[in-house]
């Protein structure tokens, strides 16, 4: 997978690479999967709903005109350790060890800390943080045996800055930044690159209620130097870079794609 001789546009060519993107039936995960396919990769989509995954795969094949075998699906729950290990065995046996793993699955539950049910805290931390540990550890074993691989953990501006009502999400995403560095510390000597990609406030399903709130939306556009909400397409280029030979010496970093939000006060 290392391609130290690649130059120019070839640096960003994903042809021949296999990528698994968790939580990729919609939102950021779907956008990244689409971008990887357009850059030449084969992609395995993941989610918990097999019917929805099949429909997403069908749409992507038609939209991009890629062969059927370039878009596969693997329905499993990223917080279920047994299901993850079973899926990993099936994916490696059927398609080979992924060259790229994107830990994207995530949820949000908003509420005041004093009123937040412990059950909601655990659910948010499990999906946003523990899943990246479970899925990352499982697939890293095959990557380490091969001596190459790229893992992209989808972090957030809340890896660095927070706001009221999002404590479990912020705690999980902050932890994901630390996990990214820990993965780098242990696995970089064996040929893996592990980085975080931290989107700013994006106009996605996860943020639909915020986008629809005129007061909050106005605050975001004023708070962000780019003076707009981010779009899923803003994440795709950096995600391709982190999956490609162009980032072979980038390791343990969290890359903020936020229109400048974390750069200013």
């Amino acid at each position: 997978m290392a391609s130290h001789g690649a130059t120019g546009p070839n640096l960003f060519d994903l042809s021949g690479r296999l990528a698994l993107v968790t939580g990729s039936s919609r939102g950021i995960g779907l956008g990244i999967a689409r971008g990887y396919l357009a850059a030449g990769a084969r992609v395995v989509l993941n989610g918990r709903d097999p019917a929805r995954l099949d429909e997403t795969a069908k749409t992507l094949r038609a939209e991009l005109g890629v062969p059927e075998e370039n878009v596969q699906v693997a329905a499993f729950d990223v917080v279920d350790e047994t299901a993850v290990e079973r899926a990993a065995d099936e994916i490696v046996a059927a398609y080979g060890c992924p060259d790229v793993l994107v830990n994207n699955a995530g949820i949000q539950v908003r509420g005041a800390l004093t009123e937040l049910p412990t059950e909601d805290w655990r659910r948010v931390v499990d999906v946003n943080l523990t899943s990246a540990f479970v899925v990352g550890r499982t697939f890293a074993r095959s990557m380490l045996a091969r001596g190459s691989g790229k893992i992209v953990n989808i972090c957030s501006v809340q890896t660095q800055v927070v706001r009221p009502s999002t404590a479990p999400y912020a705690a999980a995403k902050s932890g994901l930044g630390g996990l990214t560095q820990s993965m780098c510390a242990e696995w970089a000597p064996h040929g893996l690159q592990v980085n975080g990609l931290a989107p700013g406030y994006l106009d996605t399903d996860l943020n639909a209620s915020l986008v629809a709130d005129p007061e909050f939306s106005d605050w975001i556009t004023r708070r962000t130097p780019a003076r707009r909400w981010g779009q899923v397409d803003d994440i795709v280029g950096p995600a391709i870079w982190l999956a490609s030979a162009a980032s072979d010496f980038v390791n343990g970093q969290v890359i903020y794609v936020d229109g400048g939000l974390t750069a200013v006060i």
Side-chain angles (χ1 to χ4, degrees), residues 1-7 11 245 248-249:
M1 186 171 147
S3 49
H4 305 296
T7 59
L11 280 172
D248 277 353
F249 201 55

Side-chain angles (χ1 to χ4, degrees), residues 1-4 97-99 139-150 187-193 248 251:
M1 186 171 147
S3 49
H4 305 296
C97 173
D99 301 290
F139 282 93
R141 290 168 179 153
S142 295
M143 292 178 172
L144 291 167
R146 183 182 57 199
S148 66
K150 290 180 180 282
W187 299 339
H190 307 287
L192 275 61
Q193 291 89 52
D248 277 353
N251 226 327

Side-chain angles (χ1 to χ4, degrees), residues 177-237:
L179 177 62
T180 299
Q181 293 177 314
S182 295
M183 288 175 166
C184 166
E186 294 200 21
W187 299 339
H190 307 287
L192 275 61
Q193 291 89 52
V194 187
N195 293 287
L197 188 58
Y201 280 86
L202 302 188
D203 186 353
T204 64
D205 291 347
L206 195 66
N207 289 327
S209 63
L210 302 180
V211 176
D213 181 339
E215 183 177 354
F216 187 87
S217 192
D218 180 63
W219 178 77
I220 284 294
T221 54
R222 286 186 289 107
R223 175 70 175 78
T224 304
R227 294 295 186 265
R228 67 175 177 86
W229 281 82
Q231 303 296 321
V232 170
D233 285 350
D234 292 319
I235 302 300
V236 174

